[in-house]
Amino acid sequence: MTELYPSPSPSPSPSPSPSAGLAGLSRRSTLLAGGGSALLLGLGLTGCRSAVSESASAPRETGAAPKRGGVLDLAVNADFTPGLLFAQSGQSLQQRLIYNTLTRYDDSLTPEPELATSWTYAKDRRSITLKLRDDVTFHDGRPFTADDVIFAVKNLQNPVMAAQLRSTAAAVNGFEKRGDHELVLKLAHPVNNLFDLFEFMIITDEKTVEDAVTGKKLIGTGPFRLKKWSPGSGLSLTRNDTYWLPDRPYLDGVELRVIPQADALISSLRSGQSQLSFGVPGKSLGVVRSDPKLKITNYDTGAGAIYLGVNTTIAPLDDRVVRQALARAIDRDRLLAQTLGGYGLASAAPWPKSSPAFSEAHRTHYTHDPGKARELLRSAGHSKLELPLLHIALPGETAVAESIQYDLKQIGVHVTLEPTDGATAQKKLISQEMPALWTMGHGFAQVQPSTLAVSAYPFNEAKNTSKYRSAAYTKVVQEAWTRTGASAAEANALHEGISRILLDEAFIIDLVVRGQVQVSSDRLHGVALNKFSYLNLDHAYLV
């Protein structure tokens, strides 16, 4: 019997859904410690990662089959924030350890099955039929069914959850359940980023969701169960013996330990107390490269972007000429080389090279030109400005802020640094309470280009942190988001329209597309990340 579940219709313009990334991975380079350049990472609100699995190559590297057992110690520089469970935050690694998603992207943004085994679009693209796995249970033993997908979508439609892909979730305005393991999602209008939602949306237990957002219970279908969360110290996870993937995971457990100081984090890796981290600042990786027991893996198509945010309601930043002056003042190449360790891409645009929206002209639209920047400021009637600059109080983010401070001083813009903890910064980002300037990392440029402008807090066309609004911006974003089946030329024209407005209006000033780096013990194999920084250890093992 077919059951229909109505869902609230989305507003004509997508509700703000937001940020804290980057496109599909074209290749993966693994640098054994002792070779290669310094690398970049650990920039607070992380961007999205490409899904890369070493599981296929690991046996060849070790000469042995995967080994069962052992507990992985993962060093993180920021704690889990339960209140941001359904949002992209500074620490999303645990999402795929405890929960599953419907699908996952490969390196070319082609969706692959996870809890959904197959899918079929209607001809008019106004609905999609999902077939679901029938052998999955939650950690408490309850079977996974279509009702859990319905709840997951409705949960992301709830503004209280502050989910970045809320706009896409809100496009789902009806559910038709065909038994427990087949579901039709009905759409108010076509969207071209539905699989971005499917990769982002963790499938949680409806009965305990209120406990989840306070950190009391995290019940999913993933490979590990929550054993304990110690605020400020980290998460302790144990193997899910009833995981739906046969004979997985190999590991007995995972310990996510909070180590905010770079020196202590590196010491933990070198001593073997930790076997994995994504939190080593780029300028500290020289020490790592000298250790033969550690290896560095570079996810080199990008891991989010560092940007300078501008509050356009504060004078004189309401003048785009002043914003353009700031954009020309930053030495992106020096920021990348000296402050971030050299891994990444200096870029005035948010897109990684693997994005269909990338172009070299956009990347180099604003080159370092302090003379031109001073000229623009004078033309706007200013020779000296005093402004605050908020940043996250971690070593990598502080170094970025100090580099920006130095460059802006050269054109007469004196900024006062305002160090802030990551959770507070994220809340200010979401609630649009930022000061005149801030610097953080953003994601969502790593998936469908339209997702950035309807899902990232700094860029959202309907309601963004910079408080920038434009009918032209809304028009091109909406068309890019709802246009399905467009030719390559048509899609490129829409992407060009979005990029042109971002560059001309400069309400978000992109600086560097980050290279994503993991540091791991040579004992660890089979690590993967999805596009939204979710750590996948299904096939990981220690030798």
Side-chain angles (χ1 to χ4, degrees):
M1 180 174 169
T2 297
E3 300 177 40
L4 293 176
Y5 294 76
S7 176
S9 299
S11 57
S13 189
S15 34
S17 339
S19 128
L22 271 82
L25 189 68
S26 61
R27 64 184 182 91
R28 185 251 306 144
S29 63
T30 301
L31 305 178
L32 294 181
S37 305
L39 299 103
L40 142 75
L41 76 100
L43 299 173
L45 294 177
T46 60
C48 311
R49 278 59 160 185
S50 298
V52 177
S53 174
E54 296 179 350
S55 58
S57 60
R60 292 194 294 271
E61 294 172 3
T62 64
K67 179 182 176 182
R68 182 174 299 283
V71 175
L72 172 65
D73 282 280
L74 169 61
V76 296
N77 58 13
D79 197 7
F80 166 59
T81 305
L84 298 175
L85 179 64
F86 300 102
Q88 184 76 33
S89 70
Q91 210 292 81
S92 297
L93 293 171
Q94 68 284 325
Q95 306 294 75
R96 180 50 178 73
L97 301 180
I98 300 171
Y99 304 100
N100 288 117
T101 57
L102 287 176
T103 60
R104 62 180 180 271
Y105 280 129
D106 67 9
D107 294 348
S108 62
L109 290 181
T110 300
E112 296 182 341
E114 190 149 307
L115 293 186
T117 60
S118 64
W119 42 88
T120 306
Y121 263 113
K123 289 183 179 180
D124 61 2
R125 311 289 282 190
R126 294 286 295 271
S127 68
I128 186 170
T129 301
L130 302 173
K131 291 189 176 181
L132 308 173
R133 295 190 69 100
D134 61 4
D135 57 352
V136 177
T137 58
F138 283 87
H139 296 157
D140 61 1
R142 183 177 65 81
F144 160 74
T145 70
D147 289 321
D148 297 302
V149 179
I150 293 170
F151 170 73
V153 174
K154 289 186 174 182
N155 185 54
L156 293 195
Q157 292 173 344
N158 183 354
V160 173
M161 295 306 178
Q164 281 91 342
L165 278 149
R166 182 180 164 218
S167 297
T168 304
V172 179
N173 67 348
F175 304 90
E176 180 184 336
K177 199 175 79 164
R178 299 174 177 173
D180 283 341
H181 299 101
E182 186 170 340
L183 177 67
V184 180
L185 302 182
K186 298 177 182 295
L187 303 174
H189 54 78
V191 295
N192 65 7
N193 67 339
L194 196 57
F195 285 91
D196 293 1
L197 174 69
F198 293 167
E199 174 139 340
F200 176 82
M201 182 176 70
I202 55 175
I203 304 299
T204 55
D205 175 47
E206 179 178 4
K207 293 180 180 179
T208 58
V209 70
E210 295 302 323
D211 287 333
V213 295
T214 60
K216 294 179 182 178
K217 290 183 181 179
L218 302 176
I219 296 179
T221 62
F224 298 94
R225 303 168 184 256
L226 176 66
K227 185 177 180 181
K228 183 180 181 181
W229 174 50
S230 302
S233 297
L235 292 161
S236 179
L237 309 179
T238 188
R239 185 179 191 272
N240 176 14
D241 291 327
T242 60
Y243 191 44
W244 52 269
L245 192 62
D247 301 319
R248 300 293 188 277
Y250 293 119
L251 296 168
D252 290 333
V254 182
E255 298 287 334
L256 289 85
R257 296 193 296 123
V258 180
I259 308 177
Q261 299 302 320
D263 289 346
L265 191 151
I266 292 170
S267 176
S268 177
L269 288 164
R270 297 191 70 189
S271 67
Q273 290 180 316
S274 301
Q275 296 86 39
L276 177 66
S277 182
F278 297 88
V280 180
K283 62 182 182 180
S284 301
L285 280 162
V287 176
V288 172
R289 293 198 312 274
S290 68
D291 193 325
K293 294 182 180 180
L294 296 175
K295 60 183 178 181
I296 297 170
T297 301
N298 173 35
Y299 297 74
D300 58 0
T301 57
I306 301 162
Y307 71 93
L308 176 64
V310 183
N311 188 330
T312 64
T313 64
I314 297 177
L317 300 175
D318 54 346
D319 185 345
R320 73 172 180 175
V321 174
V322 174
R323 302 195 297 266
Q324 290 173 352
L326 301 184
R328 292 192 180 277
I330 309 299
D331 188 342
R332 292 169 175 79
D333 291 322
R334 181 177 60 80
L335 177 67
L336 173 63
Q338 295 182 7
T339 308
L340 303 177
Y343 266 58
L345 183 70
S347 180
W351 319 112
K353 283 189 173 181
S354 55
S355 170
F358 174 84
S359 84
E360 186 66 15
H362 295 153
R363 185 185 77 80
T364 58
H365 183 85
Y366 290 115
T367 56
H368 182 224
D369 190 342
K372 179 65 174 178
R374 285 190 290 267
E375 179 185 326
L376 287 170
L377 278 181
R378 286 194 298 269
S379 72
H382 308 283
S383 59
K384 183 178 180 181
L385 295 174
E386 301 277 349
L387 299 168
L389 174 66
L390 180 146
H391 67 91
I392 295 174
L394 288 172
E397 288 79 350
T398 299
V400 170
E402 289 173 346
S403 183
I404 293 171
Q405 181 186 45
Y406 174 84
D407 285 341
L408 293 183
K409 185 178 179 180
Q410 310 314 304
I411 68 166
V413 178
H414 298 265
V415 301
T416 302
L417 299 185
E418 295 185 354
T420 309
D421 68 273
T424 299
Q426 178 79 335
K427 290 175 183 176
K428 285 180 176 289
L429 189 80
I430 294 169
S431 60
Q432 302 162 33
E433 295 176 348
M434 285 296 190
L437 300 174
W438 73 94
T439 180
M440 290 172 70
H442 74 74
F444 295 92
Q446 82 288 359
V447 283
Q448 298 300 329
S450 62
T451 294
L452 182 77
V454 296
S455 297
Y457 290 117
F459 296 88
N460 187 280
E461 59 82 16
K463 191 176 181 182
N464 54 67
T465 312
S466 296
K467 301 179 182 178
Y468 171 81
R469 292 301 305 272
S470 158
Y473 185 45
T474 292
K475 182 177 184 297
V476 70
V477 168
Q478 286 288 307
E479 188 174 356
W481 182 46
T482 60
R483 185 79 172 270
T484 58
S487 68
E490 291 169 334
N492 288 340
L494 293 170
H495 301 157
E496 172 70 25
I498 293 174
S499 296
R500 185 173 60 251
I501 291 174
L502 293 177
L503 292 168
D504 289 349
E505 296 297 332
F507 61 95
I508 291 296
I509 300 170
D510 270 282
L511 304 175
V512 174
V513 175
R514 299 179 293 174
Q516 171 56 22
V517 180
Q518 76 181 35
V519 177
S520 60
S521 166
D522 62 358
R523 298 176 52 224
L524 176 63
H525 304 273
V527 176
L529 289 172
N530 88 342
K531 297 292 186 291
F532 295 107
S533 308
Y534 302 171
L535 180 61
N536 186 331
L537 296 178
D538 281 5
H539 306 289
Y541 61 96
L542 291 163
V543 295

